[in-house]
């Protein structure tokens, strides 16, 4: 919301999701908090200001939001993130690079849409992990940093109500990042503390 270009797909989709969530929560609490719900509705975007919440219907769901496999992908990512955070107790996750090794299989296929490139500092997977950089691969590299923290686990991937089930083993390697904190987005993705990271440089140059 605050770091991506104003008209970027990521920022616009985030705004759309927040608007849908606000609308659903507002309609859910309306029967027990009618005055609060009505006030929120009057200040929310996306409808006529003269319209009242209580004449606009109940919660509106759409099949557009249904993406098979997305929920399982996020659940798998959260399980891996738990292993990551457990390996650095009390430390700032954003100061570490994370390598995730997944064997070819169901979980890897689900995870790929969250990060289409092998390594990224700004993918959805990197955002979920809260790491400086995420490397997504089939196996851990042999030339790991001597200080790398290794962890292993298994996630049960369960699709379509159990029609597709698979135990998906994973391994992670955690290393301190060599990147500096960007003064704009405050993520550890910059070459030095005095210059912007590549993403912020692109956004600022476009805005200028």
């Amino acid at each position: 919301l605050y770091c991506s270009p104003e008209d970027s797909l990521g920022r616009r989709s985030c705004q759309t999701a927040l608007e849908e969530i606000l609308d659903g929560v507002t309609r859910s609490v309306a029967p027990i908090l009618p005055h609060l719900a009505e006030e929120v509705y009057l200040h929310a975007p996306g409808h006529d200001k003269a319209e009242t919440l209580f004449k606009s219907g109940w919660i509106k769901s759409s099949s557009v939001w249904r993406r098979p496999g997305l929920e399982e992908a996020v659940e798998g990512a959260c399980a891996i993130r738990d292993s990551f955070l457990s390996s650095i107790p009390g430390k700032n996750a954003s100061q570490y690079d994370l390598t995730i090794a997944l064997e070819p299989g169901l979980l890897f296929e689900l995870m790929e849409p969250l990060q289409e490139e092998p390594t990224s500092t700004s993918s959805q997977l990197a955002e979920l992990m809260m790491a400086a950089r995420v490397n997504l691969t089939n196996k851990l590299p042999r030339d790991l940093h001597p200080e790398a923290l290794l962890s292993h686990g298994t996630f049960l991937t369960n699709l379509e109500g159990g029609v597709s089930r698979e135990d998906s083993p994973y391994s992670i390697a955690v290393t301190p990042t060599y990147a500096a904190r960007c003064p704009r987005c405050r993520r550890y993705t910059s070459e030095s503390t005095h210059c912007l990271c590549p993403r912020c440089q692109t956004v600022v140059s476009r805005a200028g």
Side-chain angles (χ1 to χ4, degrees), residues 21-127:
I21 292 169
L22 176 64
D23 186 76
V25 171
T26 303
R27 294 178 192 278
S28 297
V29 303
I32 54 175
L33 296 170
H35 299 294
L36 175 62
E38 182 72 8
E39 185 175 358
V40 171
Y41 188 77
L42 290 174
H43 288 84
H47 54 79
D48 189 345
K49 296 298 181 183
E51 183 182 354
T52 174
L53 170 65
F54 295 94
K55 290 185 178 181
S56 62
W58 186 234
I59 299 174
K60 302 176 179 66
S61 60
S62 171
S63 59
V64 173
W65 294 98
R66 179 65 180 170
R67 288 184 56 188
L70 179 59
E71 182 178 356
E72 291 76 13
V74 173
E75 287 178 351
C78 289
I80 295 173
R81 184 181 63 188
D82 288 343
S83 297
F84 166 43
L85 297 178
S86 297
S87 68
I88 52 169
K91 303 292 181 62
N92 185 351
S94 66
Q95 296 179 358
Y96 289 85
D97 293 338
L98 174 64
T99 298
I100 303 172
L102 297 170
E103 295 181 3
L106 191 54
L107 183 58
F108 188 85
E109 293 176 5
L110 292 174
M111 208 69 73
E112 277 189 306
L114 298 179
Q115 180 167 302
E116 297 177 353
E117 57 275 12
T119 180
S120 177
T121 60
S122 58
S123 67
Q124 290 179 304
L125 187 58
E127 295 282 355

